[in-house]
Amino acid sequence: MTDGVQTQGDGAVVAVRGSVLDLRFAQDGLPALNEGIAVLWDRPAALTAEVQSHLNTTTVRAIALQDTAGLRRGTPVRRWHGPLTVPVGDGVLGRLVDVMGNPADGGAPLPADAPRRPIHRPAPPLARQNPRRDPFETGIKVIDLLAPLARGGKAAMFGGAGVGKTVLVMELIRTMVERYTGISVFAGIGERCREGQELWEEMGRSGVLARTALVFGQMNEPPGARWRVGMTALAMAEYFRDEAARDVLLLMDNVFRFVQAGAEVSGLLGRLPSRVGYQPTLATEVAALEERVASVPGAVVTAIQAVYVPADDFTDPAVAELFSHLDSSIVLSRAMAAEGLYPAVDPLTSTSMLLDPLHVGEAHCRLAEEVRRTIAQYRELQDIIALLGIEELSASDRRVVGRARRLMRFLTQPFLVTEPFTGRRGMSVPLAATIAGCRAILDGETDDWPEQALYMTGSLDDARTGLKQREAAS
């Protein structure tokens, strides 16, 4: 066997370096960038790769989406004559599949006649997109009040390791999918096997698995698989949006691992790194993923994403780039998590484009601003309190501190998904109850309550009932 083009197939492998393959073709048969390649090796299924660069007039460099152990030079390859395609439609609902759409849940193969769609597609033209953004109530107090999510928008949870991103996403999955009448597509980008198993079981228990498709590119898979799994999920979501005219809830955990996989691929391809070692194509790759999350008249795609923040550095280029594509940014605070204030959503740095009188009303906006201002005053006074004690503050400052601490505890909430671990009954709180509770705290109605009475409760009425029960028991 030689390095030249083989008689079977369109070309041949001429070099293998981990996930990077150099492939030789006839001069008039060079595949395009992002075209799929099937490597016809001695396994039951062909190895799938994707063209990333042209080295010369006869050779391309591709990234394999599966493990290449055992692949030899000279192995014949065949062109797809187009981008990689994956199965879509009702057949993928209730199933867990890999980046190529192959079942990974141990179930039956997908129907042979399932429609297929390319993983690379342009976003809908602006003239076709629906710019309307309506608030989407989640039942999570701090989010609905300070960083409301948009139906048909893009939201992300930003935080370092161990501050509760995945738990918050799991709670949003449970509460939103139960209220959501459309289809859900979950993309597990670089997920651990344990996390995938827990999500699968949780969705089965909550009865939403039948209208959910799960796509996983696990942490132990090659970087090419982790890099493209988000595109596979988008292809499925776009089918339901465009062909079936159904609303889609797109969930991605963790988008930072998409960027990380892209950096690995870029390094394997020999590109010089950019800032902080990221790939020079960072902005293009993030835009190619995020800009496809778009709504059209008759169907919307609502995206909820988790984003790991390396070393809690929010100036990291990947994090900064992701911020620019979002409607709502929910920032998780390590300091709040250390205090046990869960969800550890930072009320001062979390933002939403919907927090505007045109979207949520004048009263909601004024209250959110007052809550933020009160908590900001408290944080400014924390250094003085630590040095001199709260007794050295003026009466008005002590009042602000007391109300801010009560607000922060009132905005904590027990989650449905954590019931088995905490023993606390999970609660979903209507926005009206959240607004009424915060208004009462700011007006001083709870000034004589112990702070603990407002911690990990639902509405103010729930807190009042709990306080009466504790007083009766004592």
Side-chain angles (χ1 to χ4, degrees):
M1 189 173 285
T2 66
D3 286 348
V5 175
Q6 305 301 301
T7 55
Q8 60 178 125
D10 302 313
V13 176
V14 294
V16 181
R17 291 183 296 278
S19 295
V20 177
L21 310 179
D22 287 354
L23 313 172
R24 183 173 296 162
F25 294 85
Q27 194 152 6
D28 57 350
L30 209 62
L33 296 181
N34 290 332
E35 183 173 327
I37 300 291
V39 181
L40 309 175
W41 59 348
D42 55 352
R43 307 287 173 87
L47 173 71
T48 305
E50 188 179 79
V51 175
Q52 292 301 315
S53 63
H54 292 171
L55 300 183
N56 54 46
T57 57
T58 60
T59 311
V60 300
R61 183 159 287 170
I63 287 289
L65 302 191
Q66 288 118 4
D67 189 9
T68 59
L71 179 61
R72 298 182 299 170
R73 288 186 300 166
T75 303
V77 300
R78 183 171 293 137
R79 294 176 56 185
W80 281 48
H81 294 282
L84 304 175
T85 62
V86 294
V88 296
D90 291 340
V92 300
L93 296 178
R95 304 301 302 271
L96 188 151
V97 300
D98 64 12
V99 65
M100 292 305 302
N102 301 315
D105 54 11
L110 296 178
D113 60 349
R116 299 183 73 89
R117 290 293 181 273
I119 66 170
H120 295 285
R121 288 183 65 194
L126 284 173
R128 263 196 76 220
Q129 293 188 25
N130 181 7
R132 182 173 175 176
R133 297 286 185 270
D134 297 320
F136 196 106
E137 195 172 318
T138 66
I140 299 174
K141 290 183 287 189
V142 65
I143 292 177
D144 289 341
L145 178 68
L146 300 176
L149 305 188
R151 182 175 175 271
K154 288 176 282 213
M157 311 342 168
F158 292 87
V163 296
K165 292 185 303 301
T166 299
V167 171
L168 186 54
V169 168
M170 292 276 285
E171 181 71 8
L172 282 167
I173 290 170
R174 178 161 183 157
T175 57
M176 292 180 73
V177 169
E178 286 176 353
R179 302 176 184 201
Y180 212 78
T181 56
I183 298 298
S184 300
V185 179
F186 181 88
I189 306 174
E191 287 284 87
R192 302 172 183 88
C193 298
R194 171 188 58 77
E195 292 170 338
Q197 181 70 21
E198 288 175 359
L199 180 67
W200 176 263
E201 292 173 356
E202 177 63 35
M203 288 196 157
R205 280 194 299 269
S206 57
V208 299
L209 191 58
R211 50 192 175 93
T212 303
L214 296 99
V215 190
F216 271 78
Q218 293 178 176
M219 193 175 279
N220 62 333
E221 294 190 57
R226 289 179 272 121
W227 193 38
R228 290 309 189 207
V229 68
M231 300 293 190
T232 298
L234 273 169
M236 294 178 180
E238 287 168 341
Y239 173 85
F240 289 114
R241 180 195 67 192
D242 298 333
E243 310 292 332
R246 300 174 76 175
D247 291 352
V248 182
L249 178 62
L250 177 65
L251 302 138
M252 290 191 278
D253 186 8
N254 184 308
V255 181
F256 178 78
R257 295 197 189 113
F258 159 76
V259 174
Q260 207 170 33
E264 290 178 50
V265 168
S266 182
L268 289 169
L269 293 172
R271 296 175 185 150
L272 287 174
S274 182
R275 278 198 307 154
V276 198
Y278 285 111
Q279 60 271 42
T281 52
L282 172 65
T284 304
E285 290 174 12
V286 169
L289 182 78
E290 296 288 353
E291 292 306 304
R292 284 173 62 184
V293 181
S295 302
V296 298
V300 300
V301 178
T302 304
I304 307 290
Q305 309 166 37
V307 181
Y308 167 69
V309 180
D312 293 338
D313 179 12
F314 286 88
T315 65
D316 185 88
V319 175
E321 188 61 40
L322 287 161
F323 263 117
S324 64
H325 291 274
L326 303 171
D327 298 302
S328 303
S329 303
I330 297 165
V331 177
L332 300 179
S333 161
R334 188 170 301 282
M336 291 182 67
E339 289 184 56
L341 300 175
Y342 289 105
V345 176
D346 190 328
L348 302 186
T349 54
S350 300
T351 60
S352 172
M353 294 175 65
L354 266 74
L355 200 58
D356 182 282
L358 294 174
H359 294 292
V360 298
E362 189 71 39
H364 183 164
C365 273
R366 278 204 309 269
L367 179 67
E369 183 60 34
E370 195 173 344
V371 167
R372 281 201 173 116
R373 187 166 58 247
T374 302
I375 294 173
Q377 282 182 260
Y378 166 55
R379 290 192 177 172
E380 288 172 2
L381 294 167
Q382 277 183 310
D383 287 344
I384 297 173
I385 295 169
L387 288 170
L388 303 176
I390 196 168
E391 295 79 12
E392 297 301 315
L393 299 179
S394 66
S396 62
D397 282 347
R398 284 201 300 272
R399 186 166 56 248
V400 165
V401 168
R403 290 176 184 176
R405 288 177 62 86
R406 285 170 175 80
L407 279 171
M408 292 170 72
R409 278 148 185 77
F410 179 67
L411 292 176
T412 62
Q413 187 171 343
F415 282 171
L416 294 163
V417 296
T418 58
E419 277 183 19
F421 312 106
T422 64
R424 291 179 182 267
R425 181 174 61 87
M427 294 183 178
S428 179
V429 183
L431 175 61
T434 301
I435 289 174
C438 290
R439 184 74 269 162
I441 293 169
L442 287 168
D443 290 344
E445 292 181 26
T446 63
D447 283 359
D448 57 346
W449 290 22
E451 293 176 4
Q452 200 64 19
L454 295 164
Y455 178 69
M456 283 294 172
T457 187
S459 65
L460 199 64
D461 289 337
D462 294 328
R464 187 177 286 112
T465 301
L467 182 60
K468 288 178 179 177
Q469 288 173 347
R470 280 192 290 272
E471 287 175 348
S474 61

